[in-house]
Amino acid sequence: MSASRVKFEVIQDFKKSNSATFSGVNYAHVVATYLYDSSVFGGMKRIFFSLFFMARFDASFGKVGLDGAEIVMFYSAKQKRRSDYDYILEKLKSIAGPGANYLKSEEKFSLVQPFCTARYLLTSIFGTRGFRSTLKGRLVAGFLIAKYRSNAQNVNKIKAFNANRLVTFCDALPWDNLVTQFARNEGFRTVTSQHGQYRLLTDQNMSADAEAYANFISDRMLCWGSATRNEFCRYGVSSSRLAVVGWIREWSEPPQVKKTNTFGVMFNGENGRVSNQSLIEAAKVIAKATGFSYLVRMHPKNRVDDYLNLIDERCVSIDVMPYSEYIENVEFSLAHMSGTVIEILRYGLPVYVVDDGRLADVFKVPGLCVSDVQIVIDDVMHERICTGGRRLELQALGRWYNDDTGQDDKIRLALRDFNF
């Protein structure tokens, strides 16, 4: 078993131990995503965060919810400054009705927080006894748990809504997880949403991304497509808890593929850093063989400086760029485990998912996945990149990953019906 897999299992055992459960909330779930980084620098950052950042909560009260069911929308991702994330919340609020309640949390620098964290620190460190980690790892976990416990009284604001439904952005996020646990203890029905292509991870690709399914605690998830539902069922989650509603986002008009003699490379986030390097190597081979140039569309969390030494003279751009700008300039794309693959497939645009040995099973689909870049080179040289039949095939595949037909009605049903 790889070291990354061992780390995953240790974190899951920590959750199951219940040693970090205080006032009905299992804080091992709350801090789980932080525990994958065992570096000294990562630990220092988390201790600083625990000491000097305090969550501030804002509440907005509605009057009438969906079919009389009072709903609270909770959102903790505003400070990520992602308009696509903000859209998910706004869309769900509009579907829930004009009277939907809203609760937002945002982390702010605070000189009071050190005293708040200190108050809970000793008992929180003792609560890490179920975490089979190093002394440093347990200390960092203890600081994080103390920080969240010290701010948890703000979650009581949920009671003021007199509601019976809670909708969150993602169970893997610390505050979303804590609020969901609190709401379930208060008798709420809880719903969370999908915001990336979730996939089961293995020894070859294990990372904190695994918490997308390992930290799923809500009664129901709003899934993009059957691909995600199948992955969660493989993990042991009942299909009745997984409502396929499609990717909640604004879609632009289908773009036209142009002859640009340029192809694109779509990066993963930093959890897929090694595979990003593999994508660059594949791009260089394809560019040299075909005479094409290539550009790199980076994930918002990638740093350009970390990859400049990997590209060659055929790379014409490497940057975080809008999807519309990217797609206007490429004839086809190379990708790995990125949600942008589903974005591309929706329009039936040519994309090749490169299997570098770290690819999750959900992307290992015939017609999409390639393990030998010679296949891509042959398609380019024989002008097979975007034939009519291939485009229809990719669009059909896209619906397996993202079925957003009748989305509003499916979301209403998922928020209302809990007969399982």
Side-chain angles (χ1 to χ4, degrees), residues 29-98:
H29 279 276
V30 176
V31 304
T33 54
Y34 292 118
L35 304 181
Y36 287 81
D37 184 354
S38 55
S39 68
V40 173
F41 180 65
M44 291 173 61
K45 285 200 307 182
R46 281 153 179 75
I47 290 176
F48 182 83
F49 170 72
S50 301
L51 288 173
F52 293 105
F53 281 83
M54 176 182 287
R56 309 294 171 86
F57 285 72
D58 293 323
S60 174
F61 292 85
K63 295 180 181 179
V64 181
L66 178 68
D67 292 347
E70 292 292 340
I71 295 177
V72 179
M73 301 283 174
F74 176 74
Y75 191 51
S76 66
K78 184 67 177 177
Q79 61 204 66
K80 293 182 181 293
R81 295 179 176 85
R82 291 279 301 268
S83 59
D84 53 334
Y85 289 3
D86 297 342
Y87 178 82
I88 292 174
L89 176 78
E90 295 304 320
K91 176 73 170 181
L92 292 173
K93 283 173 65 178
S94 69
I95 291 173

Coordinates of all heavy atoms in Angstrom, one line a residue, residues 29-98:
H29 N -14.1 14.8 10.8 CA -14.7 15.1 9.5 C -14.4 16.6 9.1 O -14.1 16.9 7.9 CB -16.2 14.9 9.5 CG -16.6 13.4 9.4 ND1 -16.7 12.8 8.1 CD2 -16.9 12.5 10.3 CE1 -17.1 11.6 8.3 NE2 -17.2 11.3 9.6
V30 N -14.6 17.5 10.0 CA -14.5 18.9 9.8 C -13.1 19.3 9.2 O -12.9 20.0 8.3 CB -14.8 19.7 11.0 CG1 -14.6 21.2 10.8 CG2 -16.2 19.5 11.5
V31 N -12.0 18.7 9.8 CA -10.7 19.1 9.5 C -10.0 18.1 8.5 O -8.8 18.3 8.2 CB -9.8 19.3 10.8 CG1 -10.4 20.3 11.7 CG2 -9.5 17.9 11.5
A32 N -10.7 17.1 8.0 CA -10.1 16.0 7.3 C -9.2 16.5 6.1 O -8.1 16.0 5.8 CB -11.2 15.1 6.8
T33 N -9.7 17.5 5.3 CA -9.0 17.9 4.1 C -7.6 18.5 4.5 O -6.7 18.5 3.6 CB -9.8 18.9 3.3 OG1 -10.2 20.0 4.1 CG2 -11.0 18.2 2.7
Y34 N -7.5 19.0 5.7 CA -6.2 19.6 6.1 C -5.1 18.6 6.4 O -4.0 18.9 6.4 CB -6.4 20.5 7.3 CG -7.2 21.7 7.2 CD1 -8.4 21.9 7.9 CD2 -6.8 22.8 6.3 CE1 -9.2 23.1 7.8 CE2 -7.6 23.9 6.2 CZ -8.7 24.1 6.9 OH -9.5 25.2 6.8
L35 N -5.5 17.4 6.7 CA -4.6 16.4 7.3 C -3.7 15.7 6.2 O -2.9 14.9 6.6 CB -5.4 15.4 8.1 CG -6.3 16.0 9.2 CD1 -7.0 14.9 9.9 CD2 -5.5 16.8 10.1
Y36 N -3.9 15.9 5.0 CA -3.2 15.3 3.9 C -1.8 15.9 3.7 O -0.9 15.2 3.3 CB -3.9 15.3 2.6 CG -5.1 14.3 2.6 CD1 -6.3 14.7 3.2 CD2 -5.0 13.1 2.0 CE1 -7.4 13.8 3.2 CE2 -6.1 12.2 2.0 CZ -7.3 12.6 2.6 OH -8.3 11.7 2.6
D37 N -1.6 17.1 4.1 CA -0.4 17.8 3.9 C 0.4 17.7 5.3 O 0.1 18.3 6.3 CB -0.6 19.3 3.6 CG 0.7 20.1 3.4 OD1 1.8 19.5 3.6 OD2 0.7 21.2 3.0
S38 N 1.4 16.8 5.3 CA 2.2 16.6 6.5 C 3.5 17.3 6.5 O 4.4 17.0 7.4 CB 2.4 15.1 6.7 OG 3.0 14.5 5.5
S39 N 3.7 18.2 5.6 CA 5.0 19.0 5.5 C 5.1 20.0 6.7 O 4.0 20.4 7.3 CB 5.1 19.8 4.2 OG 4.1 20.8 4.2
V40 N 6.3 20.4 7.1 CA 6.5 21.3 8.1 C 5.8 22.7 7.8 O 5.2 23.3 8.6 CB 8.0 21.5 8.4 CG1 8.2 22.6 9.4 CG2 8.6 20.2 8.9
F41 N 6.1 23.1 6.6 CA 5.5 24.4 6.1 C 4.0 24.4 6.2 O 3.3 25.3 6.6 CB 6.0 24.8 4.7 CG 5.5 26.1 4.2 CD1 5.8 27.3 4.8 CD2 4.6 26.1 3.1 CE1 5.3 28.5 4.4 CE2 4.1 27.3 2.7 CZ 4.5 28.5 3.3
G42 N 3.4 23.2 5.7 CA 1.9 23.1 5.7 C 1.4 23.1 7.1 O 0.4 23.7 7.4
G43 N 2.1 22.5 8.1 CA 1.7 22.5 9.5 C 1.7 23.9 10.0 O 0.8 24.3 10.8
M44 N 2.8 24.6 9.7 CA 2.9 26.0 10.2 C 1.8 26.9 9.7 O 1.2 27.7 10.5 CB 4.3 26.6 9.8 CG 5.5 25.9 10.5 SD 7.1 26.5 9.9 CE 7.0 28.2 10.2
K45 N 1.4 26.7 8.4 CA 0.3 27.5 7.9 C -1.0 27.2 8.6 O -1.8 28.1 8.9 CB 0.2 27.2 6.4 CG 1.2 27.8 5.5 CD 0.8 27.9 4.0 CE 0.3 26.5 3.5 NZ -0.1 26.6 2.1
R46 N -1.2 25.9 8.9 CA -2.5 25.6 9.5 C -2.5 26.0 11.0 O -3.6 26.4 11.5 CB -2.6 24.0 9.4 CG -3.1 23.6 8.0 CD -2.7 22.2 7.6 NE -3.3 21.9 6.3 CZ -2.8 22.4 5.2 NH1 -1.7 23.2 5.2 NH2 -3.3 22.0 4.0
I47 N -1.4 26.0 11.7 CA -1.4 26.6 13.0 C -1.6 28.1 13.0 O -2.4 28.6 13.8 CB -0.1 26.2 13.7 CG1 -0.1 24.7 14.0 CG2 0.1 27.0 15.0 CD1 1.2 24.2 14.6
F48 N -1.0 28.8 12.1 CA -1.2 30.2 11.9 C -2.7 30.5 11.6 O -3.3 31.4 12.2 CB -0.3 30.8 10.8 CG -0.5 32.3 10.7 CD1 0.3 33.1 11.5 CD2 -1.3 32.8 9.7 CE1 0.2 34.5 11.3 CE2 -1.4 34.2 9.5 CZ -0.7 35.0 10.3
F49 N -3.3 29.7 10.7 CA -4.7 29.9 10.4 C -5.6 29.7 11.6 O -6.5 30.4 11.9 CB -5.1 28.9 9.3 CG -6.5 28.8 9.0 CD1 -7.2 29.8 8.4 CD2 -7.2 27.6 9.4 CE1 -8.6 29.7 8.2 CE2 -8.6 27.5 9.2 CZ -9.3 28.5 8.6
S50 N -5.2 28.7 12.4 CA -6.0 28.3 13.6 C -5.9 29.4 14.7 O -6.9 29.6 15.5 CB -5.5 27.0 14.2 OG -5.6 25.9 13.3
L51 N -4.8 30.1 14.7 CA -4.6 31.2 15.7 C -5.1 32.5 15.3 O -5.5 33.3 16.2 CB -3.1 31.2 16.1 CG -2.6 30.1 16.9 CD1 -1.0 30.2 17.0 CD2 -3.2 30.0 18.3
F52 N -5.1 32.8 14.0 CA -5.4 34.2 13.6 C -6.5 34.4 12.6 O -6.7 35.5 12.1 CB -4.1 34.8 13.1 CG -3.0 35.0 14.1 CD1 -1.9 34.1 14.1 CD2 -3.1 36.0 15.1 CE1 -0.9 34.2 15.0 CE2 -2.1 36.1 16.0 CZ -1.0 35.2 16.0
F53 N -7.4 33.4 12.4 CA -8.5 33.6 11.5 C -9.8 33.2 12.2 O -9.8 32.0 12.8 CB -8.3 32.9 10.2 CG -7.4 33.6 9.3 CD1 -6.0 33.5 9.4 CD2 -8.0 34.5 8.3 CE1 -5.2 34.2 8.5 CE2 -7.1 35.1 7.4 CZ -5.7 35.0 7.5
M54 N -10.8 34.0 12.2 CA -12.0 33.8 12.8 C -13.2 33.8 11.8 O -13.2 34.7 10.9 CB -12.3 34.8 13.9 CG -13.7 34.7 14.6 SD -14.0 36.0 15.9 CE -12.9 35.4 17.2
A55 N -14.1 32.9 11.9 CA -15.2 32.9 10.9 C -16.3 33.9 11.4 O -16.7 33.9 12.5 CB -15.8 31.5 10.8
R56 N -16.7 34.7 10.5 CA -17.8 35.7 10.7 C -19.0 35.2 9.9 O -18.9 34.8 8.7 CB -17.4 37.1 10.2 CG -16.0 37.6 10.8 CD -16.1 37.7 12.3 NE -14.8 38.0 12.9 CZ -14.2 39.2 12.9 NH1 -14.8 40.2 12.5 NH2 -13.0 39.3 13.5
F57 N -20.1 35.1 10.6 CA -21.4 34.6 10.0 C -22.4 35.7 9.7 O -22.6 36.6 10.6 CB -22.0 33.6 10.9 CG -21.3 32.3 10.9 CD1 -20.1 32.1 11.5 CD2 -21.9 31.2 10.3 CE1 -19.4 30.9 11.5 CE2 -21.2 29.9 10.3 CZ -20.0 29.8 10.9
D58 N -22.9 35.7 8.5 CA -24.0 36.7 8.1 C -25.3 35.9 7.8 O -25.2 34.9 7.1 CB -23.6 37.5 6.9 CG -22.5 38.5 7.3 OD1 -22.5 39.0 8.4 OD2 -21.6 38.7 6.4
A59 N -26.4 36.3 8.3 CA -27.6 35.6 8.0 C -28.6 36.5 7.3 O -28.7 37.7 7.6 CB -28.2 35.1 9.4
S60 N -29.4 35.9 6.4 CA -30.5 36.6 5.7 C -31.7 35.8 5.8 O -31.7 34.6 5.5 CB -30.1 36.9 4.3 OG -31.2 37.4 3.6
F61 N -32.8 36.3 6.3 CA -34.0 35.5 6.6 C -35.1 35.7 5.5 O -35.4 36.8 5.0 CB -34.7 36.0 7.9 CG -33.8 35.6 9.1 CD1 -32.8 36.5 9.5 CD2 -34.0 34.4 9.8 CE1 -32.0 36.1 10.6 CE2 -33.3 34.1 10.9 CZ -32.3 34.9 11.3
G62 N -35.6 34.6 5.0 CA -36.7 34.6 4.1 C -38.0 34.4 4.7 O -38.1 34.3 6.0
K63 N -39.1 34.2 3.9 CA -40.4 34.1 4.5 C -41.0 32.8 4.1 O -41.6 32.0 4.9 CB -41.3 35.2 4.0 CG -40.8 36.6 4.6 CD -41.7 37.7 4.1 CE -41.3 39.1 4.7 NZ -42.2 40.2 4.2
V64 N -41.0 32.4 2.8 CA -41.6 31.2 2.3 C -40.6 30.4 1.5 O -39.9 30.9 0.6 CB -42.8 31.6 1.3 CG1 -43.5 30.3 0.8 CG2 -43.8 32.5 2.1
G65 N -40.5 29.1 1.8 CA -39.6 28.3 1.1 C -40.2 27.5 0.1 O -41.4 27.7 -0.3
L66 N -39.5 26.5 -0.4 CA -40.0 25.6 -1.5 C -41.2 24.7 -1.0 O -41.0 23.9 -0.1 CB -38.9 24.7 -2.0 CG -39.2 23.7 -3.1 CD1 -39.5 24.4 -4.4 CD2 -38.0 22.7 -3.2
D67 N -42.4 24.9 -1.6 CA -43.6 24.2 -1.2 C -43.8 24.2 0.3 O -44.2 23.2 0.9 CB -43.5 22.7 -1.7 CG -43.5 22.6 -3.2 OD1 -43.9 23.6 -3.8 OD2 -43.2 21.6 -3.7
G68 N -43.5 25.4 0.9 CA -43.7 25.5 2.4 C -42.6 24.9 3.2 O -42.6 25.1 4.4
A69 N -41.6 24.3 2.6 CA -40.5 23.7 3.4 C -39.4 24.8 3.5 O -38.9 25.3 2.5 CB -39.9 22.5 2.6
E70 N -39.2 25.2 4.7 CA -38.2 26.3 5.0 C -36.8 25.8 4.7 O -36.4 24.7 5.3 CB -38.3 26.8 6.4 CG -39.6 27.5 6.7 CD -39.7 28.9 6.0 OE1 -38.6 29.4 5.5 OE2 -40.8 29.4 5.8
I71 N -36.0 26.5 3.9 CA -34.7 26.0 3.5 C -33.7 27.1 3.8 O -33.9 28.3 3.7 CB -34.7 25.8 1.9 CG1 -35.6 24.7 1.5 CG2 -33.3 25.5 1.4 CD1 -35.7 24.4 0.1
V72 N -32.6 26.6 4.4 CA -31.4 27.4 4.6 C -30.3 27.1 3.6 O -29.9 25.9 3.5 CB -30.8 27.2 6.1 CG1 -29.6 28.1 6.3 CG2 -31.9 27.5 7.1
M73 N -29.8 28.1 2.9 CA -28.7 28.0 2.0 C -27.4 28.4 2.8 O -27.4 29.6 3.2 CB -28.9 28.8 0.8 CG -30.1 28.5 0.0 SD -29.9 27.0 -1.0 CE -31.5 26.8 -1.7
F74 N -26.4 27.5 2.9 CA -25.2 27.9 3.6 C -24.1 27.9 2.6 O -23.9 27.0 1.8 CB -24.9 26.9 4.7 CG -23.5 27.2 5.4 CD1 -23.4 28.2 6.3 CD2 -22.4 26.4 5.1 CE1 -22.2 28.5 6.8 CE2 -21.2 26.7 5.7 CZ -21.1 27.8 6.5
Y75 N -23.2 29.0 2.7 CA -22.2 29.2 1.7 C -20.9 29.7 2.4 O -20.9 30.7 3.2 CB -22.6 30.2 0.7 CG -21.7 30.3 -0.5 CD1 -21.3 29.2 -1.2 CD2 -21.3 31.6 -1.0 CE1 -20.5 29.3 -2.4 CE2 -20.5 31.7 -2.1 CZ -20.1 30.5 -2.8 OH -19.3 30.7 -3.9
S76 N -19.8 28.9 2.2 CA -18.5 29.3 2.9 C -17.4 29.6 1.9 O -16.3 29.7 2.2 CB -18.1 28.2 3.9 OG -17.8 27.0 3.2
A77 N -17.8 29.6 0.6 CA -16.8 29.7 -0.5 C -16.7 31.0 -1.2 O -16.0 31.2 -2.2 CB -17.0 28.6 -1.6
K78 N -17.3 32.1 -0.6 CA -17.4 33.4 -1.2 C -16.0 33.9 -1.4 O -15.6 34.6 -2.4 CB -18.2 34.3 -0.4 CG -18.4 35.7 -1.0 CD -19.2 35.7 -2.2 CE -19.5 37.0 -2.8 NZ -20.2 37.0 -4.1
Q79 N -15.1 33.7 -0.3 CA -13.8 34.3 -0.4 C -12.9 33.6 -1.4 O -11.7 34.1 -1.7 CB -13.1 34.3 1.0 CG -12.9 32.9 1.6 CD -12.9 33.0 3.1 OE1 -13.8 33.3 3.8 NE2 -11.7 32.7 3.6
K80 N -13.3 32.5 -2.0 CA -12.5 31.9 -3.1 C -12.6 32.8 -4.4 O -11.8 32.5 -5.3 CB -13.0 30.5 -3.3 CG -12.8 29.5 -2.2 CD -13.2 28.1 -2.5 CE -13.0 27.2 -1.4 NZ -11.6 26.9 -1.1
R81 N -13.5 33.7 -4.4 CA -13.7 34.6 -5.5 C -13.8 33.8 -6.9 O -13.2 34.1 -7.9 CB -12.5 35.6 -5.6 CG -12.5 36.5 -4.4 CD -11.3 37.5 -4.5 NE -11.3 38.4 -3.4 CZ -10.9 38.2 -2.2 NH1 -10.3 37.0 -1.9 NH2 -10.9 39.1 -1.3
R82 N -14.7 32.8 -6.8 CA -15.0 32.0 -8.0 C -16.5 32.3 -8.4 O -17.4 31.9 -7.7 CB -14.8 30.5 -7.7 CG -13.4 30.1 -7.5 CD -12.7 29.9 -8.8 NE -13.3 28.9 -9.7 CZ -13.0 27.6 -9.7 NH1 -12.0 27.2 -8.9 NH2 -13.6 26.8 -10.5
S83 N -16.6 33.0 -9.5 CA -18.0 33.3 -10.0 C -18.8 32.1 -10.3 O -20.0 32.1 -10.1 CB -17.9 34.2 -11.2 OG -17.2 33.6 -12.3
D84 N -18.1 31.0 -10.7 CA -18.9 29.8 -11.0 C -19.4 29.1 -9.7 O -20.5 28.5 -9.7 CB -18.0 28.8 -11.8 CG -16.7 28.5 -11.1 OD1 -16.2 29.4 -10.4 OD2 -16.1 27.4 -11.4
Y85 N -18.6 29.3 -8.6 CA -19.1 28.8 -7.3 C -20.3 29.6 -6.9 O -21.3 29.1 -6.4 CB -18.0 28.9 -6.3 CG -16.9 27.8 -6.4 CD1 -16.8 27.0 -7.5 CD2 -15.8 27.8 -5.5 CE1 -15.8 26.0 -7.7 CE2 -14.8 26.9 -5.6 CZ -14.8 26.0 -6.7 OH -13.8 25.1 -6.8
D86 N -20.2 31.0 -7.0 CA -21.2 31.9 -6.6 C -22.5 31.6 -7.3 O -23.6 31.6 -6.8 CB -20.8 33.3 -6.8 CG -19.6 33.7 -5.9 OD1 -19.3 33.0 -5.0 OD2 -19.0 34.8 -6.3
Y87 N -22.4 31.2 -8.6 CA -23.6 30.9 -9.4 C -24.3 29.8 -8.9 O -25.6 29.8 -8.9 CB -23.1 30.7 -10.9 CG -24.3 30.4 -11.7 CD1 -25.1 31.4 -12.3 CD2 -24.7 29.0 -12.0 CE1 -26.2 31.1 -13.1 CE2 -25.8 28.7 -12.8 CZ -26.5 29.8 -13.3 OH -27.6 29.5 -14.1
I88 N -23.6 28.7 -8.4 CA -24.3 27.6 -7.9 C -25.3 28.0 -6.7 O -26.4 27.6 -6.7 CB -23.3 26.5 -7.4 CG1 -22.5 25.9 -8.5 CG2 -24.0 25.4 -6.6 CD1 -21.4 25.0 -8.1
L89 N -24.8 28.8 -5.8 CA -25.6 29.2 -4.7 C -26.8 30.0 -5.2 O -27.9 29.8 -4.8 CB -24.8 30.0 -3.7 CG -25.6 30.6 -2.6 CD1 -25.9 29.6 -1.5 CD2 -24.9 31.8 -1.9
E90 N -26.5 31.0 -6.1 CA -27.6 31.8 -6.6 C -28.7 31.0 -7.3 O -29.9 31.3 -7.2 CB -27.0 32.9 -7.5 CG -26.1 33.9 -6.7 CD -26.8 34.6 -5.5 OE1 -28.0 34.9 -5.7 OE2 -26.1 34.7 -4.5
K91 N -28.2 30.1 -8.1 CA -29.2 29.2 -8.8 C -30.1 28.4 -7.8 O -31.3 28.3 -8.0 CB -28.4 28.3 -9.7 CG -29.3 27.3 -10.5 CD -30.0 27.9 -11.6 CE -30.7 26.9 -12.5 NZ -31.4 27.5 -13.6
L92 N -29.4 27.8 -6.8 CA -30.2 27.1 -5.9 C -31.2 27.9 -5.1 O -32.3 27.5 -4.8 CB -29.3 26.3 -4.9 CG -28.4 25.2 -5.5 CD1 -27.4 24.7 -4.6 CD2 -29.3 24.1 -6.0
K93 N -30.7 29.2 -4.7 CA -31.6 30.1 -4.0 C -32.8 30.4 -4.9 O -34.0 30.5 -4.4 CB -30.9 31.4 -3.7 CG -29.9 31.2 -2.5 CD -29.1 32.5 -2.3 CE -29.9 33.7 -1.9 NZ -29.0 34.9 -1.7
S94 N -32.6 30.7 -6.2 CA -33.7 31.0 -7.1 C -34.7 29.9 -7.2 O -35.9 30.1 -7.3 CB -33.2 31.4 -8.5 OG -32.7 30.3 -9.2
I95 N -34.2 28.6 -7.2 CA -35.1 27.5 -7.4 C -35.9 27.2 -6.1 O -37.0 26.9 -6.1 CB -34.3 26.2 -7.7 CG1 -33.8 26.4 -9.2 CG2 -35.1 25.0 -7.6 CD1 -32.8 25.3 -9.6
A96 N -35.2 27.5 -4.9 CA -35.8 27.2 -3.6 C -36.9 28.3 -3.4 O -37.8 28.0 -2.6 CB -34.8 27.3 -2.5
G97 N -36.9 29.4 -4.0 CA -38.0 30.4 -3.9 C -37.4 31.7 -3.3 O -36.4 31.7 -2.7
P98 N -38.2 32.8 -3.5 CA -37.7 34.1 -3.1 C -37.6 34.2 -1.6 O -36.9 35.2 -1.2 CB -38.9 35.0 -3.6 CG -40.1 34.1 -3.7 CD -39.5 32.8 -4.1

